[in-house]
Amino acid sequence: MSTHRIVFAPSGKRGDFAEGTSVLEAARSLGVDVDSVCGGRGICGRCQILVAEGDFAKHGISSSESHLTEWNQVEERYASKRGALGAHRRLGCQAKLCGDVVIDVPPESQVHRQVVRKSADTRQIALEPVVRLHFIEVAEPNIDEPSSDFTRLCEALKAQWAIDASMPDLRVLNTLQKTLRAGEWKVTVAVRKGRDIVGIYPGLVETSYGVAVDVGSTTIAAHISDLYTGETLASAGLMNPQIRFGEDLMSRVSYVMMNPGGENEMTDAVRAALNDLVGEVVKEAKITRERVVEMTVVGNPIMHHLFLGLDPTELGGAPFALTLDKGQDVKAREVGLTIAPGAYVYLLPCIAGHVGADTAGVVLSEAPHMNDDVTLLVDVGTNAEIVLGNKKRLLACSSPTGPAFEGAQLSSGQRAAPGAIERVRIDPQTLEPKFKIIGSNLWSNEDGFTEEAAKTGVNGICGSGIIEAIAEMYLAGVITQDGVIDGDLQARTSRILPEGRTFTYLLHDGEPRITITQADVRAIQLGKAALYAGVKLLLDHYGVDHVERITLAGAFGSHIDVKYAMVLGLIPDCNLEKVGSAGNAAGTGARIALLNLNARDEIEKTVGKIEKIETAMEPKFQTHFVSAMAIPNKVDYFENLAKVVTFPPKKEITQAAEGEGGRRRRRG
Ligand code: FES
C-alpha cells in the first residue's frame, strides 16, 4: 500500500502514513495537538483542520485538498446540523490521506492553545485541561453475559479512549444508570487527570465549565470559565458574610477564640456564600451546576483555613503556624459545594502564616519567578503582602498597613463607591483643591460637575483619593516632609482650619464636610511606612537597593495613581514606566490554575522556594519604619520620581504630639 507525507502546522511535525489513514489518526500518532470529544465519530467538530493548497518546497511536497478523500456523508450530516465548515476545512477524523498534504491546525482545534490576556505584559494562559470530556458508546446489558453498567462503562472508556478509570465517587455512581438509559447508552464522561470520573452526562456534551474563586476578607469574587476555550463567561461578587463576625481578619480569629465552635459558623457562612455565587454565575452562563467540573480557590491564610473548616486560631499569633500550606485537592461536596457530583476544588498553596494562597495566585499571574527583572509585587489591604525577586530568588513578607488605605478609620474615609473622592489636585499657589468622584469624569471645578455630583452626593474619600490628597498636600507645601499640616498657611487660605492643637485641610465644604485631618495624615503615614519598611527588609535580604519593576495587585492597587503612591513613599523609587497595576491578580492566578494543570505544579514548586521573612522578628524593621514615616522618605532619594515631579522646598515644623499641647516652632 502506498504511503503519503503529512506535515502539520504550526508544530512542523511530519510523518509518512498509509493511504486511508485519517488526519486525526496521523495527528495522534505524531503527538500533534488536535482535539476530539466524540472520538472520531464526526459529531463534535473539534477536530477541524485546514488543508493548505500549493507547492511547499520547504517540505518537498505539493499539497492539495484533492489529496484527502472526498467530503463524506458524516461531514455532510455534521454540516447540515451544525453549519458549513468554511473554506478548506475538513473534519480531521473523516478526511483520509490519498496524497501528500500540509495541514493547519487552527487554535480552536488545539487542546493546549493560548488564552489571550488583555495586557501584553502579562503571561498568556496556556490551556492544559484538568478535566476532559469523552463521548463513549456503552454496551447494553445482556442477560446472557451479565455485567454491571459500571464495568461496561469502564470497558468503553478503555476501548474507545484508552482510559483506565478509577472507582468513582458514590454520588457519581448514583447517577450512572439513569444517565446511561437517558442517553440511550451514549454518554459523555468528564474524566479528571486521566482517571477520576467526576460527572457523566447523557449524549454528547462538548463543553465543561470551571469556577475560580477569590475569597477576600471583605468580598468574594467568582468567575466561571468555559474549560474548552478558556473564556470567562460570567463573574459575580458579594460581601463576605463573615463580616458579621468581625470586620477584619484578626477580629474573626478573636471571635473563634471567644466563641467555641465559632469557626464552624464562619465556615458555613463562607461555603454558603460560595454556593450562592456558583448559582449566580451558572445562571448567567445558562448552564446547570452539574456542568461545573472543577473549582479553584485562593484566599488569605485565615480565609483559606476557614473555607476548609480548619481552626484558624494559631494564625492569630506568633509563630503563625498554618495547618496546611501545600496546594490541595478536596472533594467539592466535602466543602459543601454543589457542582458536578465527583468534582474537586483545588486550593492554591499558602506561602506563610500571613501570606496566603491569594498571594500565590498573584505570583502565578504575574510570574516574577520567570523574569530577570527584580520585581516587587504588592497587594495592599489591611495587611500588605509583599513579594520581591526574580527567577533567581523570591522573598515574601506581610506588613501590617492597617485599614486606612481602605478608607476606614479616616475622618472622611469611605469605601470606594459612587460619590467617593478618588482623585485630588491642589494648586500650589492658591492651595485650592479640585477633585473627581467615583461616578463622574469631571473635575469638581468643571461645568456640569455639580449636576453630576447631585446624583450620588460627594460622600467621603476613598483609599486612592486619600493617597492623592496627602501626596498633593505635600507637593503644595500644605504638609511638611514629616507630615505636619502647616497652620501658618491659615494666613494664605481659608482651607486650613484649626482643630484642637493641630490643623485640618478642608477638601470639600459641603454636606458632609470633607476634611483631611492631622490624624488622617498620621494614619496614612503609619500604613505606608509599614509597607515601605517591609519592602526595605526584602531588599536587604535580597541584597539589592532598588527594584526594576513594581506591580500593584488588588482592587486598591488598580485604582491608585502609581505616581502619587511613589510621591507618598508607599512604594520605592522605580522607573514609572515599569510600575503598573495588575487588577485582581489573585483571581487571575486562580483562573490560571483552573485552566492549566501544569500551573498548579509550577506554583507549588515556586511557593516551596519562596523565602519567608517575618517582619515582626526583624530588628531593622523599626529603623526602616521610622525613615519611611517621612514623605516620601527620610533617607532614600527618589531619583526616578524627581524626573517627573517637582518636590517642594524643604520645610520643617516641629509640633508637640498632636492633642497634647505645646508650642510650634518653625525651622529651615
Ligand atoms: S473527532 Fe469529533 S468530529 Fe472529528
Side-chain angles (χ1 to χ4, degrees), residues 24 35-47 91-94:
L24 183 64
D35 200 4
S36 162
V37 171
C38 73
R41 290 173 175 82
I43 50 178
C44 72
R46 289 286 183 81
C47 60
L91 292 181
C93 62
Q94 301 302 316

Side-chain angles (χ1 to χ4, degrees), residues 486-660:
D486 184 357
D488 287 353
L489 294 176
Q490 283 183 106
R492 274 177 59 197
T493 174
S494 58
R495 298 253 165 205
I496 303 287
L497 307 169
E499 186 174 290
R501 293 180 178 88
T502 62
F503 295 90
T504 285
Y505 180 75
L506 176 63
L507 187 57
H508 177 58
D509 194 7
E511 184 51 52
R513 213 171 196 221
I514 296 169
T515 56
I516 312 291
T517 66
Q518 185 63 65
D520 293 338
V521 179
R522 284 284 178 259
I524 291 296
Q525 280 179 285
L526 290 168
K528 73 105 180 173
L531 197 160
Y532 195 88
V535 173
K536 289 285 283 186
L537 272 187
L538 295 191
L539 287 168
D540 290 349
H541 277 268
Y542 195 99
V544 289
D545 60 5
H546 71 283
V547 296
E548 287 156 324
R549 181 180 289 272
I550 302 177
T551 301
L552 299 164
F556 175 76
S558 57
H559 288 115
I560 56 178
D561 182 322
V562 291
K563 184 177 86 181
Y564 287 100
M566 209 178 276
V567 169
L568 196 63
L570 182 74
I571 49 175
D573 187 50
C574 182
N575 177 351
L576 274 162
E577 284 174 12
K578 298 270 185 138
V579 186
S581 301
N584 180 12
T588 303
R591 208 175 128 235
I592 295 172
L594 180 69
L595 298 175
N596 187 326
L597 180 60
N598 295 340
R600 301 181 185 188
D601 202 34
E602 174 194 326
I603 193 58
E604 286 174 27
K605 284 198 180 114
T606 304
V607 164
K609 287 191 226 149
I610 293 178
E611 299 164 49
K612 295 101 189 167
I613 310 297
E614 184 50 68
T615 50
M617 312 302 285
E618 293 276 342
K620 277 187 84 180
F621 184 83
Q622 198 56 26
T623 316
H624 290 316
F625 181 86
V626 170
S627 302
M629 278 295 284
I631 301 170
N633 194 282
K634 204 69 165 180
V635 292
D636 290 345
Y637 178 59
F638 282 58
E639 188 187 340
N640 286 288
L641 183 62
K643 291 178 193 156
V644 290
V645 163
T646 310
F647 290 124
K650 213 168 173 119
K651 170 159 73 169
E652 284 182 31
I653 301 166
T654 54
Q655 184 173 308
E658 288 90 46
E660 289 174 13

Side-chain angles (χ1 to χ4, degrees), residues 307-568:
F307 170 67
L308 282 177
L310 302 172
D311 187 336
T313 307
E314 290 299 323
L315 298 170
F320 309 104
L322 290 154
T323 304
L324 168 80
D325 56 2
K326 302 268 182 286
Q328 185 67 29
D329 277 335
V330 289
K331 280 275 181 191
R333 62 177 169 72
E334 268 183 50
V335 287
L337 299 180
T338 309
I339 49 175
Y344 284 80
V345 180
Y346 173 76
L347 286 100
L348 274 75
C350 285
I351 297 172
H354 273 320
V355 189
D358 47 355
T359 310
V362 174
V363 171
L364 187 55
S365 167
E366 299 310 305
H369 57 290
M370 293 177 163
N371 232 303
D372 288 317
D373 287 352
V374 176
T375 302
L376 175 68
L377 298 179
V378 184
D379 194 345
V380 183
T382 319
N383 266 307
E385 284 84 36
I386 309 165
V387 176
L388 175 87
N390 56 4
K391 58 164 72 152
K392 291 195 196 120
R393 264 176 96 185
L394 278 182
L395 301 95
C397 72
S398 85
S399 244
T401 40
F405 294 130
E406 291 174 347
Q409 294 172 16
L410 297 174
S411 62
S412 300
Q414 71 155 91
R415 283 193 201 288
I421 293 176
E422 60 166 351
R423 299 269 168 265
V424 177
R425 299 288 180 274
I426 297 173
D427 185 312
Q429 306 305 321
T430 63
L431 307 182
E432 277 301 295
K434 63 177 180 180
F435 56 82
K436 281 188 181 181
I437 55 170
I438 298 177
S440 169
N441 277 326
L442 296 174
W443 285 102
S444 57
N445 60 350
E446 287 180 310
D447 289 343
F449 176 81
T450 313
E451 293 71 32
E452 287 213 351
K455 293 177 204 154
T456 55
V458 181
N459 307 320
I461 187 160
C462 66
S464 59
I466 194 81
I467 300 274
E468 291 195 11
I470 296 178
E472 281 279 312
M473 283 165 77
Y474 167 65
L475 293 175
V478 175
I479 55 175
T480 65
Q481 197 191 14
D482 293 321
V484 178
I485 299 178
D486 184 357
D488 287 353
L489 294 176
Q490 283 183 106
R492 274 177 59 197
T493 174
S494 58
R495 298 253 165 205
I496 303 287
L497 307 169
E499 186 174 290
R501 293 180 178 88
T502 62
F503 295 90
T504 285
Y505 180 75
L506 176 63
L507 187 57
H508 177 58
D509 194 7
E511 184 51 52
R513 213 171 196 221
I514 296 169
T515 56
I516 312 291
T517 66
Q518 185 63 65
D520 293 338
V521 179
R522 284 284 178 259
I524 291 296
Q525 280 179 285
L526 290 168
K528 73 105 180 173
L531 197 160
Y532 195 88
V535 173
K536 289 285 283 186
L537 272 187
L538 295 191
L539 287 168
D540 290 349
H541 277 268
Y542 195 99
V544 289
D545 60 5
H546 71 283
V547 296
E548 287 156 324
R549 181 180 289 272
I550 302 177
T551 301
L552 299 164
F556 175 76
S558 57
H559 288 115
I560 56 178
D561 182 322
V562 291
K563 184 177 86 181
Y564 287 100
M566 209 178 276
V567 169
L568 196 63

